[in-house]
């Protein structure tokens, strides 16, 4: 496998073509952004930590029967993945109220959500990722009804697997964001990443924040805490 030209440079990752037209390389950079890219910093080792963390989690999800992009780790900061035609929405599941839900609905941070809440957001920084619903997605042609149903089912399947995984390691999976795409055979496949940059994790006992809220809220020890999360899961970094 050979790395070819850059396809896209996002806020945290750079995507490269390879000599296999069905595969891409995701390069996880140290760049860390929040508030639609208004706050950006370089955090030492974050690219490596997130690359290895993402590979670890996606492999767990594959093992649980969920189709993911995962192919192989190719360097400390790069992974080989299936090339997907990405659906431009973010699928968010919330087990506990936090973040934009608290701001939008005025509920207390930490409120348990049973059943969990599912939300779609349009991936569009210029519009600040507005919340959208199934009707917008079908009407604007971003995905079909069947693809929406599949994304919801897979996002909840991920919840069952990862809630248990984090719980056993002493953490609460508060909320998370997933992105899906369509592979060459037309299947819905989990893409992008699952790392502490795209979810909220709290220590079960102390409720210490162990995710990107440390960066958003200036709490410090961002990468050190991501490493602690990984170590609790049995991934030495
Ligand atoms: P952003 O675009 O939000 O700034 P990133 O810096 O994470 O995000 O950039 C990664 C880009 O690569 C995203 O636009 C994401 O949708 C896209 N992507 C992630 N996984 C895949 C994949 N398997 N196939 C094609 N594109 C992908
Ligand atoms: N999230 C993300 N990327 C985004 C928006 C949200 O990874 O562009 C994640 C975020 O880290 C959290 C969950 O999705 O785990 C829900 O985010 P929320 O809507 O509360 O937004 P935020 O607090 O980031 O404004």
């Amino acid at each position: 496998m050979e790395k070819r030209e850059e396809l896209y440079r996002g806020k945290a990752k750079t995507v490269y073509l390879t000599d296999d037209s069905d595969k891409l390389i995701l390069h996880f950079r140290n760049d860390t952004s929040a508030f639609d890219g208004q706050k950006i910093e370089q955090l030492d080792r974050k690219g490596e930590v997130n690359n290895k963390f993402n590979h670890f989690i996606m492999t767990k999800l594959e093992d649980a029967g969920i189709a993911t992009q995962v192919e192989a780790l190719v360097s400390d900061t790069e992974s080989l993945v299936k090339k997907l035609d990405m659906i431009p929405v973010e699928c968010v599941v919330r087990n506990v109220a936090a973040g934009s839900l608290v701001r939008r609905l005025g509920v207390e941070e930490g409120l348990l959500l049973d059943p969990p809440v599912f939300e779609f957001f349009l991936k569009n920084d210029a519009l600040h990722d507005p919340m959208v619903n199934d009707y917008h997605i079908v009407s604007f042609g971003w995905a079909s009804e069947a693809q929406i149903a599949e994304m919801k089912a897979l996002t909840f399947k991920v919840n069952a697997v990862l809630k248990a995984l984090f719980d056993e390691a002493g953490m609460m999976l508060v909320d998370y964001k997933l992105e899906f795409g369509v592979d060459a055979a037309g299947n819905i496949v989990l893409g992008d990443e699952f790392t502490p940059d795209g979810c909220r994790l709290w220590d079960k006992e102390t409720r210490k924040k162990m995710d990107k809220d440390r960066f958003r809220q200036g709490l410090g020890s961002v990468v050190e805490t991501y490493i602690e999360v990984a170590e609790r899961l049995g991934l030495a970094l």
Side-chain angles (χ1 to χ4, degrees):
M1 191 276 310
E2 256 178 58
K3 188 165 151 185
R4 295 270 163 90
E5 70 264 29
E6 182 181 314
L7 184 64
Y8 174 79
R9 184 182 168 90
K11 294 186 294 295
K13 301 193 288 299
T14 309
V15 183
Y16 295 90
L17 295 171
T18 69
D19 56 355
D20 181 339
S21 61
D22 290 333
K23 308 258 174 20
L24 296 173
I25 284 181
L26 295 184
H27 173 221
F28 289 73
R29 307 194 315 270
N30 286 343
D31 299 78
T32 312
S33 75
F35 314 122
D36 297 325
Q38 285 177 51
K39 176 174 176 170
I40 300 178
E41 278 174 36
Q42 296 267 318
L43 299 180
D44 205 32
R45 280 200 76 203
K46 204 208 54 159
E48 179 195 346
V49 169
N50 274 6
N51 181 43
K52 292 177 179 173
F53 192 97
N54 178 60
H55 184 79
F56 176 84
I57 295 286
M58 291 241 175
T59 303
K60 292 272 182 210
L61 296 174
E62 252 330 296
D63 291 348
I66 296 164
T68 79
Q69 67 185 1
V70 78
E71 288 284 332
L73 278 176
V74 290
S75 76
D76 279 353
T77 56
E78 295 167 309
S79 285
L80 185 69
V81 299
K82 291 185 187 73
K83 182 180 187 179
L84 304 175
D85 187 8
M86 297 304 286
I87 295 172
V89 296
E90 301 182 333
C91 300
V92 170
V93 160
R94 301 175 185 275
N95 296 305
V96 178
S100 71
L101 182 81
V102 166
R103 295 195 295 276
R104 195 173 347 111
L105 300 182
V107 294
E108 201 181 326
E109 184 181 74
L111 181 75
L112 290 183
L113 303 170
D114 185 17
V117 168
F118 183 98
E119 296 170 339
F120 281 122
F121 295 91
L122 177 65
K123 256 185 83 76
N124 185 321
D125 284 338
L127 297 178
H128 310 294
D129 292 353
M131 187 192 276
V132 292
N133 67 28
D134 305 30
Y135 289 89
H136 300 112
I137 294 172
V138 175
S139 194
F140 290 107
W142 297 321
S144 68
E145 273 184 42
Q147 289 173 327
I148 289 172
E150 180 75 6
M151 287 193 287
K152 286 183 184 170
L154 288 170
T155 305
F156 279 111
K157 199 166 173 191
V158 167
N159 200 35
V161 175
L162 296 187
K163 246 173 81 170
L165 186 81
F166 287 112
D167 182 70
E168 281 161 24
M171 291 169 279
M172 289 165 71
L173 179 58
V174 170
D175 59 30
Y176 58 92
K177 180 268 300 181
L178 302 180
E179 292 180 28
F180 293 92
V182 181
D183 71 6
N187 302 309
I188 296 281
V189 174
L190 178 62
D192 203 48
E193 67 179 79
F194 189 103
T195 67
D197 270 0
C199 68
R200 287 192 171 91
L201 296 165
W202 294 352
D203 179 86
K204 262 197 320 192
E205 303 302 325
T206 65
R207 299 220 161 183
K208 176 172 97 160
K209 294 182 179 179
M210 305 188 74
D211 52 69
K212 198 158 93 173
D213 273 348
R214 300 202 70 80
F215 176 72
R216 293 189 189 96
Q217 299 176 7
L219 301 175
S221 303
V222 179
V223 179
E224 292 81 353
T225 310
Y226 289 16
I227 292 170
E228 186 188 339
V229 172
E231 281 171 353
R232 286 198 197 184
L233 294 172
L235 171 66
L237 288 168

